[in-house]
């Protein structure tokens, strides 16, 4: 067995293949209720193992084992009862991998005829089993997608076959040997792919702000998205649970995580991003600052999985700071504007919270300029050109509940008269779009290069020029240049 085939483990290498009892035990474990229906089945694991062994380089088990337990997202690990169960179950999975390595890898016999996957072993051959096998093979390909480009260029039929929803089992079997032969003698120059190596490089590049913009690290993350995305989701989840690390000066790993996952439209980031909104506002302001409206809003909209209930719960929660609720109203509005959310539930929510805030303001007016949720509602009504809520909004203007410096009545009426398509184009010109690539989203920080100050539709706290008696400026203070950005992300960037 070559080094490319050898699983990275300090324990004894599991034997190749499983007997009937072991296969049934592994299948039973994968179907346990605690697994939540997320795990691969045996056919998919075999396909994954075959793809890993047929591919051009060794891929560390740390990169692919998470996908065995969580075949859709590669994030949720199983809850093993004890170390013995962990060793037993992982040993079974590695035995399937070793079976593929011995019969399909570089050290295998001249042909792959001795390799017979379960979907072709016996009378119960089905297209569904072959499709599951191909799904596992596809996952192996995505773990190192660029590596497979030469095969795709020379023999594109294999990709069409494994992407078929109902592949012919015989065709799948016939595909394996040509795939194996393609890589023979062509793999020595490819270093093993290890999760810790990739994530280590990205952590070094992204964790703390430094010049120049980490273009090479971003490209690395793009190439290994399937590996990197679960880690970035964990970064956001960790910050939401314990934001202390993100409060360090120049810490920006969570910013890169937010932008990359938003750019990839990765719905796994949706709930961790919403969890950030429930932190104390002083913490939210410290870790996001001007990015609350510049990036966070659009990140939430970009990764929303369609379940608006957790977002609505925050928007309707009067205990959450107005600016945070406003950011999430903007995120919901963007989903409506882009046609990815129905307007009626949004209008229902806007009307309910607008009327509730109006009643409070009538009995206890706030000082001029203090943010109110009703103003966020009025902005959103104009953004989505809601004829249904026009009358309510105008009534709030008549009752002088809307601070005119934030949005005036004439401005509101002009904007709501715009056709929705025209309004959408106008908002896109203002930057109200789903997140783009990190260079476009983060490269505008003055620490990377100077650009004219970007305008935002929303007026966030402390955006004016700050004049100080001394040259000392706190890293989390607004920059004295008047850009509205934090000093650490503007002229204080180191």
């Amino acid at each position: 067995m070559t080094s490319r085939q050898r699983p990275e483990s300090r324990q004894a290498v599991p034997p190749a293949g499983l007997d009937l009892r072991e296969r049934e035990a592994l299948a039973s474990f994968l179907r346990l209720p605690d697994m939540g229906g997320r795990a691969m089945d045996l056919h998919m694991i075999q396909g994954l193992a075959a793809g890993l062994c047929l591919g051009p380089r060794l891929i560390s088990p740390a990169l692919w084992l998470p996908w065995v337990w969580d075949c859709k997202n590669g994030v949720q690990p199983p809850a093993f009862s004890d170390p013995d169960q962990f060793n037993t179950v992982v040993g079974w999975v590695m035995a399937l991998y070793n079976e593929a390595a011995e019969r399909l890898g570089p050290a295998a016999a001249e042909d792959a005829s001795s390799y017979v996957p379960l979907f072709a072993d016996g009378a119960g051959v089905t297209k569904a089993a072959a499709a599951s096998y191909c799904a596992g093979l596809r996952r192996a390909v995505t773990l190192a997608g660029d590596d497979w480009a030469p095969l795709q260029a020379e023999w594109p039929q294999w990709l069409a076959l494994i992407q078929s929803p109902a592949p012919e089992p015989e065709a799948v079997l016939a595909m394996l040997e040509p795939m194996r032969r393609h890589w023979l003698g062509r793999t020595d120059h490819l270093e093993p792919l290890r999760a810790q190596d990739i994530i280590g490089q990205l952590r070094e590049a992204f964790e703390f702000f430094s010049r120049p913009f980490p273009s090479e690290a971003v490209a690395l993350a793009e190439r290994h998205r399937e590996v990197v995305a679960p880690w970035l989701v964990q970064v956001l989840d960790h910050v939401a649970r314990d934001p202390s690390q993100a409060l360090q000066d120049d810490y920006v790993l969570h910013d890169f995580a937010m932008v990359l996952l938003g750019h990839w439209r990765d719905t796994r980031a949706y709930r961790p991003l919403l969890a950030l909104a429930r932190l104390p506002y002083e913490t939210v302001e410290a870790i996001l600052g001007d990015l609350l409206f510049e990036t966070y809003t659009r990140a939430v909209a970009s990764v929303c999985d369609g379940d608006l209930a957790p977002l609505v719960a925050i928007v309707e929660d009067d205990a959450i700071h107005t600016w945070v609720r406003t950011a999430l109203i903007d995120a919901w509005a963007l989903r409506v504007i882009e046609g990815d959310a129905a307007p009626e539930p949004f209008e229902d929510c806007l009307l309910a919270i607008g009327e509730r805030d109006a009643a409070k303001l009538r009995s206890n007016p706030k000082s001029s300029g203090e943010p109110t949720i009703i103003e966020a509602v009025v902005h959103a009504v104009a953004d989505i050109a809601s004829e249904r809520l026009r009358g309510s909004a105008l009534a709030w203007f008549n009752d002088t509940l809307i601070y005119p410096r934030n949005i005036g009545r004439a401005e509101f009426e002009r904007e709501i008269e715009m056709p929705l398509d025209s309004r959408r184009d106008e908002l896109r010109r203002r930057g109200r779009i789903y997140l783009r690539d990190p260079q476009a989203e983060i490269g505008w920080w003055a620490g990377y290069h100077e650009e004219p100050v970007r305008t935002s539709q929303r007026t966030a706290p402390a955006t004016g020029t700050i004049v100080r008696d001394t040259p000392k400026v706190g890293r989390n203070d607004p920059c004295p240049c008047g850009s509205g950005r934090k000093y650490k992300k503007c002229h204080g960037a180191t």
Side-chain angles (χ1 to χ4, degrees):
M1 183 179 293
T2 68
S3 61
R4 179 172 159 269
Q5 296 167 271
R6 189 176 298 117
E8 296 176 354
S9 173
R10 295 181 181 179
Q11 301 176 1
V13 177
L18 298 175
D19 60 31
L20 178 60
R21 181 191 62 80
E22 291 169 329
R23 290 202 302 266
E24 290 176 346
L26 176 57
S28 296
F29 176 83
L30 298 172
R31 291 194 299 265
L32 286 175
D34 289 347
M35 299 298 288
R38 297 183 297 270
M40 291 184 171
D41 62 19
L42 293 185
H43 301 295
M44 198 178 297
I45 294 173
Q46 278 200 314
L48 173 68
L52 293 169
C53 296
L54 288 168
R57 78 167 87 208
L58 172 71
I59 297 181
S60 164
L63 285 173
W64 57 262
L65 272 174
W67 296 97
V68 172
W69 322 124
D70 184 1
C71 67
K72 298 293 185 184
N73 300 315
V75 173
Q76 188 69 35
F80 292 104
S81 59
D82 54 53
D84 287 341
Q85 185 188 50
F86 169 83
N87 290 330
T88 299
V89 173
V90 173
W92 289 334
V93 174
M94 293 306 299
L96 292 176
Y97 171 86
N98 289 337
E99 178 184 35
E102 286 190 1
R103 300 178 184 180
L104 296 176
E110 275 301 305
D111 62 64
S113 59
S114 64
Y115 177 75
V116 182
L118 292 174
F119 76 80
D121 185 13
V125 177
T126 66
K127 288 186 177 181
S132 182
Y133 182 92
C134 287
L137 207 159
R138 286 198 304 273
R139 176 57 62 200
V141 171
T142 61
L143 288 172
D146 288 353
D147 294 347
W148 291 79
L151 177 59
Q152 185 173 353
E154 294 178 28
W155 186 42
Q157 295 90 332
W158 71 272
L159 185 61
L161 179 60
I162 69 171
Q163 290 178 338
S164 170
E168 292 293 340
E170 295 80 7
V172 176
L173 279 175
M175 168 187 70
L176 299 178
E177 176 60 17
M179 288 179 69
R180 172 180 172 272
R181 288 187 175 278
H182 177 85
W183 299 115
L184 289 178
R186 301 174 56 166
T187 62
D188 292 343
H189 66 286
L190 293 180
E191 293 295 324
L193 185 62
R194 299 182 177 92
Q196 63 267 32
D197 296 338
I198 296 171
I199 291 172
Q201 291 180 56
L202 295 181
R203 184 181 292 278
E204 182 177 356
F206 293 159
E207 192 163 26
F208 291 95
F209 181 92
S210 63
R211 294 189 183 98
F213 182 82
S215 301
E216 292 185 5
V218 169
L220 178 67
E222 292 276 11
R223 288 197 302 273
H224 301 293
R225 181 188 307 185
E226 297 289 335
V227 174
V228 173
W231 169 62
L232 294 178
V233 172
Q234 291 173 351
V235 167
L236 293 179
D237 185 65
H238 178 74
V239 170
R241 295 174 187 274
D242 178 11
S244 58
Q245 188 172 24
L247 294 173
Q248 299 177 78
D249 278 351
D250 294 328
Y251 184 90
V252 291
L253 178 57
H254 60 298
D255 294 335
F256 277 97
M258 181 168 59
V259 170
L260 279 164
L261 292 167
H263 169 49
W264 296 335
R265 305 291 296 275
D266 195 316
T267 57
R268 293 171 291 185
Y270 180 49
R271 280 162 178 75
L273 284 174
L274 290 181
L276 292 177
R278 291 197 174 277
L279 294 172
Y281 178 68
E282 294 75 14
T283 303
V284 175
E285 202 280 331
I287 64 177
L288 293 178
D290 46 305
L291 298 187
L292 177 62
F293 288 105
E294 187 67 47
T295 305
Y296 174 79
T297 286
R298 295 161 53 224
V300 172
S302 299
V303 303
C304 177
D305 61 9
D307 179 9
L308 291 166
L311 185 150
V312 174
I314 299 173
V315 167
E316 293 182 338
D317 189 347
D318 291 342
I320 304 293
H321 194 278
T322 298
W323 285 121
V324 176
R325 295 168 70 196
T326 297
L328 292 179
I329 288 173
D330 283 357
W332 194 354
L334 180 53
R335 298 281 299 178
V336 173
I337 291 165
E338 293 292 342
D340 293 323
E344 293 80 10
F346 188 41
E347 291 174 322
D348 291 342
C349 181
L350 292 177
L351 182 60
I353 63 176
E355 291 288 7
R356 189 169 72 232
D357 204 41
K360 291 179 182 178
L361 291 172
R362 291 185 182 105
S363 61
N364 184 26
K366 290 190 176 183
S367 59
S368 296
E370 188 174 352
T372 60
I373 202 66
I374 198 172
E375 290 170 354
V377 170
V378 170
H379 274 289
V381 169
D383 286 346
I384 66 170
S386 173
E387 282 297 322
R388 175 184 166 196
L389 300 187
R390 179 203 289 255
S392 297
L394 291 175
W396 298 330
F397 277 107
N398 291 339
D399 292 342
T400 64
L401 302 178
I402 310 299
Y403 186 48
R405 285 190 60 184
N406 289 339
I407 180 170
R409 180 179 181 131
E411 177 189 0
F412 169 79
E413 292 191 281
R414 181 177 64 254
E415 291 185 350
I416 202 170
E417 288 290 343
M418 294 176 66
L420 185 56
D421 287 345
S422 300
R423 181 69 176 147
R424 181 184 297 116
D425 292 341
E426 172 64 22
L427 292 173
R428 286 173 176 170
R429 282 193 293 272
R430 297 183 190 178
R432 292 281 296 281
I433 54 176
Y434 291 139
L435 287 182
R436 302 162 294 172
D437 64 278
Q439 178 73 58
E441 296 297 339
I442 296 179
W444 61 267
W445 289 358
Y448 291 126
H449 63 82
E450 293 288 354
E451 265 189 2
V453 177
R454 288 160 57 136
T455 59
S456 175
Q457 186 183 18
R458 200 72 67 225
T459 304
T463 56
T465 300
I466 307 298
V467 180
R468 297 182 183 273
D469 295 328
T470 69
K472 178 67 175 178
V473 182
R475 300 287 288 157
N476 283 313
D477 288 331
C479 187
C481 75
S483 69
R485 307 167 190 162
K486 281 182 178 293
Y487 178 66
K488 69 182 182 183
K489 293 178 182 174
C490 195
H491 285 80
T494 58

